[in-house]
Amino acid sequence: MMELVYEAFSAPNFVLSILLIVVFLYWLMVIFGALDADLFNIEFDADADIDIDIDGDFDFDVDGDVDGDVDGDVGGDGIGRGVLEFFYIGEVPIMILISMLILCMWAISVIANYRLNPTGSVILSLPLLAGNLVVSLLVCKVFIMPFKKMFGALNKDANAPRPVMGRICTVTTTQVSQKMGQAEMSSKGTPILINVVAEGDNVFHKGDEALVIGKNAENGVYTIAPVDLK
């Protein structure tokens, strides 16, 4: 046991051991309710956009138009998109992916350095780390498959067509005007995320409620208007 502890905190494995401890503490706090399990969440929409939401009033929206914080264009057939789909990003919570990757890298690093780097040389550990990353990504993909199926079953209606027109939505981006932003509405599974623009000169801010009144058939962007309570 002490030999394992010594090896885990040797120079080649020290950083990964610290990361593993951080991951363990994160899930411990999630279990006891000290942290929200969705503290870090990435929603990947295969049709139109990538929405990255990190708690703390930071919004990163990757769409065809630049919106407020950080926007850009992601080609539908791009390499980055393929990588996201390959590793189930957006289909499985990002913290599960990160946790599994760190666990795999830590285990492989401890074994590899114990067998191939008994002197604990940092220089020799670098190529081992590179190979470790590649192997861990592939191993992680295999172990994540059951989670993909589980979350797919739980949210099987997430990509199903649902009525949007006439429903109340909540703005999730910093601002929505004639400049496109995003809004969401509740559903049985994950919230429905839609691209929206405001009707006329209306301006909506994050957290505002609005009514979906129209849709542009060409680009799939919805039009929202103030909720009339009268």
Side-chain angles (χ1 to χ4, degrees):
M1 182 64 184
M2 290 306 299
E3 187 177 6
L4 175 60
V5 174
Y6 174 80
E7 185 65 34
F9 287 95
S10 62
N13 303 313
F14 182 79
V15 173
L16 287 172
S17 294
I18 294 300
L19 289 175
L20 187 63
I21 291 173
V22 171
V23 166
F24 175 77
L25 292 175
Y26 168 83
W27 288 112
L28 197 63
M29 287 188 286
V30 168
I31 291 172
F32 287 101
L35 284 179
D36 185 351
D38 293 327
L39 179 61
F40 303 101
N41 183 51
I42 293 181
E43 294 181 1
F44 178 52
D45 185 348
D47 294 327
D49 53 69
I50 298 173
D51 177 73
I52 302 177
D53 180 21
I54 300 179
D55 284 2
D57 294 327
F58 291 93
D59 291 294
F60 300 83
D61 300 302
V62 183
D63 299 304
D65 189 16
V66 177
D67 180 72
D69 299 316
V70 177
D71 293 346
D73 184 33
V74 179
D77 300 321
I79 295 177
R81 186 186 189 89
V83 171
L84 293 176
E85 292 177 341
F86 184 80
F87 291 109
Y88 311 131
I89 296 177
E91 299 177 77
V92 176
I94 190 64
M95 281 308 298
I96 291 181
L97 294 169
I98 292 174
S99 301
M100 186 65 71
L101 178 61
I102 291 175
L103 178 60
C104 289
M105 290 190 68
W106 177 84
I108 293 174
S109 179
V110 170
I111 296 172
N113 281 286
Y114 179 77
R115 297 290 186 181
L116 305 176
N117 186 20
T119 61
S121 169
V122 175
I123 295 177
L124 181 58
S125 71
L126 295 179
L128 291 177
L129 180 63
N132 182 0
L133 177 59
V134 174
V135 174
S136 294
L137 285 171
L138 297 177
V139 173
C140 183
K141 176 178 172 63
V142 173
F143 280 103
I144 288 297
M145 281 184 182
F147 290 95
K148 175 182 179 293
K149 294 179 180 179
M150 180 183 71
F151 284 101
L154 291 175
N155 302 314
K156 60 184 177 181
D157 69 331
N159 296 317
R162 285 157 290 183
V164 171
M165 299 294 295
R167 293 184 59 184
I168 302 295
C169 63
T170 302
V171 174
T172 58
T173 48
T174 305
Q175 181 175 294
V176 175
S177 56
Q178 286 301 307
K179 191 175 183 179
M180 186 172 65
Q182 289 185 326
E184 67 177 19
M185 55 187 65
S186 60
S187 69
K188 292 181 180 179
T190 55
I192 306 170
L193 190 67
I194 57 175
N195 295 322
V196 295
V197 294
E199 178 194 34
D201 296 328
N202 292 302
V203 177
F204 299 89
H205 299 90
K206 186 174 182 178
D208 289 348
E209 290 189 337
L211 181 67
V212 180
I213 62 170
K215 179 182 179 180
N216 187 319
E218 294 182 1
N219 57 20
V221 177
Y222 291 88
T223 301
I224 57 175
V227 179
D228 187 0
L229 299 178
K230 296 181 181 180

